């Protein structure tokens, strides 16, 4: 939290305290007085002209917080310099204005905390409250502050009792206002049996630690730390107080006379030293310019101081000015993460609830579908029964038609007997015709085979003639090669003589093959003549069967004489046979 946000929280309390009617507005005269006091405690030069000009208008009515904020930012907060004023005096001014109206301690003097302790608790509340107006402190921060106070008094806080108290408050779960918090502390519910002085000391310690950024200071009755001087090198007892940027030491715990300070930065370090010079539990703080030697009363105190100084150096290295500001930010981030996880969990629960509702809706739809299916099954059964009845009626109708068909069949069987006798005669005639047709088919096949043999013989003759021509060509080529070799190889006569003999032998073999081809040709010619004779014989047979077929073409009658009709089953063969005879001739 920056300085402006801290100051605005205290000023908000002062402004709301001046708002007597709780209308969100304050009279201009009161705002002028408040502004004048803020100039004073913040050590800002007074500018009455700017103050008068800002509030000078025709409207004499009160001013809201939004109307006062521009002036507050421009003429006061923008001019504030950190370290130029005493923060405690500023807080006391705002506390004085707001406590008169809102803080109501026990009139009988039975309050647990004093008025000064209430002021410090108010400052602690402002530090730990959320940056939202109206200012509240969330339950986690309330518990954190109470635990800090109880720890300072070596007392354990009852967290269950605190949870019960917060649950009873109307808005306790979202946070407490500062007046609710002070009423809770003054009720003594969490600080029973503890003297007011102990409470004041604990509040003071927590106030110094959180508000004044005191990381560590010497405690009574353990006394002080011993520090070794730089010039005289003697040991002096001093009261030390550690802040994030400085380690200060005083003559006494009243801190009236400051003897010096040690500036801390990221280059500093703290080391434990062995006992010497009659001093024990020694340690030193090293800076860039000097080493400071100190001695604690016991080992535990030395460890506490070294750890605290290391924490201060770490804060300086990280660029942080306040330990508790950093811790508060981390706690706030943890709360936000918890709230995000809680929101995610609630969202998941809501989603599961929606899924459950969707599942129930689907189940209801399924029940409706099942009911519709049962209705459909009932309708289907009714339809099936109706179809069965129709089928039975149709079956009865078919049986009647079957009986009628049986009667018609009996009448037709008598007719069939007569027809079968007639058909038997026709079958015999057909058998004779089929036999005649088979013989005719055989004759045609013989003729076709003879033609195929003739074609094969002609093909073989042509192949032999082609081979004969090829052999003649080879013979002529061999003769030409022989003559060429004779002309070209006169000087190689002995070598080529043997080759000529080989060529002669090849020539003789070719001549022999040619003679064989001629013999084969003569044989094929004889085969062709034999095939032609067979073809003429087949033609003669076909003519004979044509005559026989013409004789059988007369239809069979019961006894009357009819004229011969040419045609019938084999009428189509006559043109074919006549064409074949002409081709054979």
């Amino acid at each position: 939290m920056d300085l402006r946000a801290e100051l605005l929280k205290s000023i908000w309390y002062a402004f709301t305290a001046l708002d007597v009617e709780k209308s969100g507005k304050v009279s201009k005269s009161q705002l002028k007085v408040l502004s004048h006091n803020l100039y004073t405690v913040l050590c800002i030069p007074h500018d009455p002209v700017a103050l008068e000009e800002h509030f000078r208008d025709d409207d004499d009515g009160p001013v809201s917080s939004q109307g006062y904020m521009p002036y507050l930012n421009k003429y006061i907060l923008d001019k504030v310099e950190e370290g130029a004023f005493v923060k405690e005096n500023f807080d006391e001014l705002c506390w004085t204005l707001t406590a008169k109206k809102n803080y109501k301690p026990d009139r009988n003097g039975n309050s647990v905390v004093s008025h000064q302790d209430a002021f410090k608790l108010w400052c602690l509340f402002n530090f730990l409250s959320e940056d939202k107006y109206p200012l509240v402190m969330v339950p986690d921060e309330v518990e954190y502050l109470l635990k800090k106070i109880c720890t300072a008094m070596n007392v354990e806080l009852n967290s269950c009792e605190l949870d019960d108290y917060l649950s009873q408050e109307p808005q306790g779960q979202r946070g407490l206002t500062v007046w609710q918090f002070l009423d809770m502390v003054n009720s003594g519910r969490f600080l029973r049996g503890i003297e007011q002085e102990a409470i004041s000391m604990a509040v003071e310690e927590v106030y110094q630690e959180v508000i004044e950024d005191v990381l560590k200071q010497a405690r009574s009755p353990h006394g002080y730390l011993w520090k070794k001087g730089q010039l005289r090198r003697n040991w002096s007892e001093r009261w030390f107080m550690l802040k994030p940027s400085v380690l200060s030491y005083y003559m006494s715990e009243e801190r009236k006379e400051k003897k010096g300070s040690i500036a801390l930065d990221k280059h500093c370090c703290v080391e434990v030293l062995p006992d010497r010079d009659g001093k024990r539990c020694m340690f030193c703080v090293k800076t860039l310019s000097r080493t400071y030697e100190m001695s604690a009363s016991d080992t535990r105190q030395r460890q506490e101081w070294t750890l605290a100084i290391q924490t201060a150096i770490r804060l300086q290295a990280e660029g942080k000015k306040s330990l508790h500001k950093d811790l508060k930010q981390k706690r706030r981030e943890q709360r936000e993460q918890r709230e995000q996880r809680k929101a995610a969990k609630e969202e998941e629960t809501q989603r599961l609830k929606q899924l459950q509702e969707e599942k129930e809706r689907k189940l209801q739809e399924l029940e409706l579908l099942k009911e519709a299916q049962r209705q459909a099954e009932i309708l289907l059964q009714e339809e099936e029964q109706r179809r069965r009845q129709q089928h039975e009626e149709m079956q009865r109708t078919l049986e009647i038609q079957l009986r009628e068909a049986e009667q018609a069949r009996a009448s037709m069987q008598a007719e069939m007997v007569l027809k079968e006798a007639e058909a038997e005669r026709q079958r015999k005639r057909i058998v004779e015709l089929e036999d005649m047709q088979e013989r005719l088919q055989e004759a045609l096949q013989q003729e076709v085979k003879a033609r195929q043999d003739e074609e094969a013989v002609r093909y073989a003759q042509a192949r032999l003639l082609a081979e004969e021509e090829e052999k003649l060509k080879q013979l002529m080529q061999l003769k030409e090669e022989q003559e060429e070799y004779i002309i070209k190889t006169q000087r190689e006569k002995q070598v080529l003589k043997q080759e000529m003999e080989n060529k002669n032998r090849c020539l003789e073999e070719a001549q022999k093959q040619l003679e064989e081809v001629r013999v084969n040709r003569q044989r094929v010619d004889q085969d062709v003549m034999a095939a032609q004779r067979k073809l003429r014989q087949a033609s003669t047979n076909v003519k004979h069967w044509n005559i026989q077929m013409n004789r059988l073409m007369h239809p069979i009658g019961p006894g009357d004489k009819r004229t011969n009709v040419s045609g019938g089953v084999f009428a189509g063969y006559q043109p074919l046979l006549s064409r074949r005879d002409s081709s054979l001739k």
Side-chain angles (χ1 to χ4, degrees):
M1 145 185 355
D2 57 1
L3 180 60
R4 180 185 292 266
E6 294 180 10
L7 297 178
L8 277 175
K9 286 185 176 182
S10 299
I11 296 174
W12 178 80
Y13 279 108
F15 185 90
T16 54
L18 298 177
D19 183 12
V20 180
E21 299 179 356
K22 296 182 179 180
S23 60
K25 295 182 178 181
V26 180
S27 64
K28 294 180 180 179
S29 59
Q30 290 177 318
L31 289 179
K32 290 179 180 179
V33 175
L34 175 62
S35 302
H36 187 274
N37 290 327
L38 291 176
Y39 276 118
T40 302
V41 296
L42 294 174
C43 301
I44 300 173
H46 291 267
D47 192 356
V49 177
L51 184 64
E52 292 294 337
E53 289 181 353
H54 183 79
F55 292 105
R56 184 180 60 189
D57 54 15
D58 297 333
D59 187 7
D60 295 331
V63 180
S64 64
S65 59
Q66 289 81 4
Y68 182 60
M69 281 302 296
Y71 172 80
L72 181 65
N73 288 322
K74 182 177 181 181
Y75 294 100
I76 299 178
L77 297 180
D78 290 347
K79 298 179 180 180
V80 173
E81 296 181 2
E82 189 172 1
F85 66 98
V86 180
K87 178 69 165 48
E88 186 175 356
N89 296 336
F90 169 79
D91 290 334
E92 285 182 353
L93 170 65
C94 298
W95 163 255
T96 302
L97 293 174
T98 188
K100 290 180 181 179
K101 178 182 177 182
N102 299 299
Y103 182 53
K104 299 175 181 179
D106 192 348
R107 296 180 179 179
N108 298 325
N110 296 326
S111 299
V112 176
V113 295
S114 63
H115 190 79
Q116 186 63 22
D117 293 337
F119 161 68
K120 294 176 181 178
L121 289 174
W122 177 79
C123 294
L124 290 168
F125 180 93
N126 289 345
F127 181 82
L128 298 175
S129 63
E130 298 297 307
D131 298 334
K132 299 177 182 179
Y133 296 91
L135 296 174
V136 295
M137 186 161 58
V138 296
D140 291 343
E141 296 297 318
V142 173
E143 183 178 2
Y144 172 78
L145 179 55
L146 291 177
K147 280 184 178 180
K148 293 288 291 183
I149 296 173
C150 292
T151 302
M153 296 184 295
N154 295 324
V155 177
E156 185 177 358
L157 177 65
N158 190 347
S159 300
C160 296
E161 190 173 359
L162 176 61
D163 294 337
D164 294 340
Y165 179 86
L166 293 175
S167 62
Q168 294 173 3
E169 290 291 328
Q171 299 179 350
Q173 297 299 325
R174 290 184 293 178
L176 296 178
T177 64
V178 66
W179 315 118
Q180 291 174 335
F181 175 72
L182 292 176
D183 291 341
M184 179 185 69
V185 175
N186 279 324
S187 66
R189 187 170 180 176
F190 305 100
L191 303 174
R192 295 189 188 95
I194 303 176
E195 296 181 357
Q196 187 176 9
E197 183 179 357
I199 296 174
S200 297
M201 293 178 62
V203 171
E204 174 66 21
E205 181 177 343
V206 175
Y207 178 83
Q208 290 182 0
E209 179 182 350
V210 176
I211 303 300
E212 297 183 357
D213 289 329
V214 177
L215 300 180
K216 178 71 176 173
Q217 61 180 341
R219 294 183 181 181
S220 298
H222 299 288
Y224 301 64
L225 293 178
W226 290 87
K227 173 184 171 298
K228 188 175 184 179
Q230 182 180 8
L231 298 178
R232 291 186 293 177
R233 310 300 292 174
N234 59 332
W235 289 89
S236 304
E237 196 175 31
R238 296 287 183 261
W239 179 274
F240 279 83
M241 183 175 67
L242 175 64
K243 291 187 176 183
S245 60
V246 64
L247 176 62
S248 304
Y249 48 95
Y250 303 83
M251 283 294 295
S252 63
E253 57 185 300
E254 285 80 11
R255 293 183 293 175
K256 294 182 179 180
E257 184 180 355
K258 184 176 181 180
K259 299 300 292 181
S261 60
I262 304 172
L264 301 177
D265 55 28
K266 62 181 180 180
H267 303 290
C268 298
C269 65
V270 58
E271 296 179 359
V272 176
L273 300 177
D275 298 343
R276 66 173 183 268
D277 298 336
K279 297 296 180 181
R280 53 190 298 272
C281 302
M282 293 180 60
F283 65 96
C284 68
V285 177
K286 292 183 178 181
T287 64
L288 293 177
S289 59
R290 180 181 169 185
T291 299
Y292 298 86
E293 297 182 6
M294 285 159 277
S295 172
S297 58
D298 52 32
T299 305
R300 180 180 177 181
Q301 189 180 13
R302 178 178 65 179
Q303 184 178 5
E304 291 178 355
W305 275 102
T306 53
L307 290 176
I309 296 172
Q310 288 174 355
T311 301
I313 296 172
R314 177 178 58 81
L315 290 175
Q316 292 298 314
E318 295 175 356
K320 298 176 181 177
K321 297 181 180 180
S322 173
L323 173 63
H324 285 277
K325 289 179 181 178
D326 183 40
L327 294 176
K328 177 190 175 184
Q329 183 63 28
K330 290 181 179 179
R331 290 195 303 272
R332 179 176 294 176
E333 292 175 356
Q334 291 174 358
R335 285 197 303 273
E336 292 176 353
Q337 292 175 0
R338 285 199 304 270
E339 290 176 357
Q340 290 176 358
R341 289 194 295 269
K342 183 178 179 181
K345 186 175 181 181
E346 290 178 354
E347 183 179 355
E348 182 69 17
T349 304
Q350 185 68 20
R351 189 175 65 83
L352 292 175
K353 184 177 179 181
Q354 292 177 357
L355 290 176
Q356 184 66 23
E357 292 176 354
E358 183 69 16
K359 182 179 179 181
E360 293 176 356
R361 188 177 62 80
K362 293 291 185 183
L363 290 175
Q364 292 177 358
E365 293 179 356
L366 184 60
E367 291 295 332
L368 294 175
L369 290 175
K370 288 181 178 179
E371 182 64 25
Q373 185 178 4
R374 286 194 293 269
Q375 296 293 335
E377 289 177 355
I378 294 172
L379 294 175
L380 185 62
Q381 291 175 359
E382 294 177 353
E383 182 67 20
E384 184 66 23
Q385 186 176 2
R386 186 176 60 80
R387 285 200 303 269
R388 192 180 296 111
Q389 292 175 355
Q390 292 179 355
H391 181 69
E392 291 175 354
E393 293 177 358
M394 187 180 295
Q395 188 174 4
R396 287 193 295 268
T397 304
L398 290 175
E399 289 177 355
I400 295 171
Q401 294 177 357
L402 184 61
R403 285 195 295 270
E404 294 176 352
E406 288 292 336
Q407 295 175 359
R409 180 183 177 187
S411 61
M412 290 178 66
Q413 283 179 351
E415 295 179 2
M416 288 295 294
V417 172
L418 299 175
K419 296 290 185 182
E420 285 179 357
E422 181 69 22
E424 185 65 26
R425 291 192 298 270
Q426 294 291 338
R427 278 198 296 273
K428 290 180 181 181
R429 185 64 178 168
I430 290 171
V431 169
E432 293 177 357
L433 291 174
E434 287 178 352
D435 188 17
M436 184 66 69
Q437 183 181 5
E438 288 178 358
R439 289 195 295 271
L440 183 60
Q441 289 289 344
E442 290 178 359
L444 289 174
Q445 288 178 359
Q446 291 177 1
E447 182 181 1
V448 170
K449 185 176 181 182
R451 287 182 177 277
Q452 290 176 353
D453 293 341
E454 182 181 3
E455 290 294 330
V457 170
R458 288 178 179 177
Y459 176 75
Q461 184 179 7
R463 182 171 57 81
L464 291 174
L465 290 174
E467 290 179 356
E468 183 179 358
E469 292 178 358
E470 183 69 23
K471 295 295 183 180
L472 288 174
K473 289 180 181 180
Q474 292 178 359
L475 182 61
M476 294 302 294
Q477 187 177 359
L478 289 173
K479 287 182 179 180
E480 292 175 358
E481 290 178 356
Q482 184 178 8
E483 292 176 357
E484 186 178 354
Y485 280 129
I486 291 172
I487 295 172
K488 290 182 180 180
T489 58
Q490 292 179 356
R491 285 180 290 182
E492 298 177 358
K493 184 175 182 181
Q494 296 298 329
V495 177
L496 296 177
K497 184 177 181 180
Q498 189 174 358
E499 292 181 359
M500 287 180 63
E501 292 177 355
N502 292 334
K503 295 290 184 180
N504 290 329
R505 284 196 298 272
C506 292
L507 182 61
E508 291 175 358
E509 290 178 358
Q511 290 177 351
K512 289 179 181 180
Q513 290 177 358
L514 181 60
E515 291 296 330
E516 291 178 357
V517 169
R518 289 176 179 174
V519 172
N520 290 333
R521 180 182 176 185
Q522 293 175 0
R523 192 182 299 113
V524 169
D525 291 338
Q526 294 175 0
D527 292 338
V528 170
M529 293 175 65
Q532 289 177 353
R533 286 194 299 271
K534 288 181 181 180
L535 183 60
R536 286 193 294 273
Q537 183 65 32
S539 298
T540 304
N541 292 333
V542 168
K543 290 178 181 181
H544 173 73
W545 287 113
N546 282 334
I547 295 170
Q548 294 293 329
M549 185 180 64
N550 291 329
R551 292 176 182 176
L552 295 174
M553 290 304 292
H554 300 289
I556 300 173
D560 55 338
K561 295 182 179 180
R562 295 182 182 178
T563 59
N564 293 331
V565 180
S566 63
V569 178
F570 300 99
Y573 289 105
Q574 293 178 357
L576 177 63
L577 294 175
S578 61
R579 286 196 301 271
R580 185 192 61 188
D581 293 339
S582 61
S583 63
L584 290 175
K585 290 178 180 180

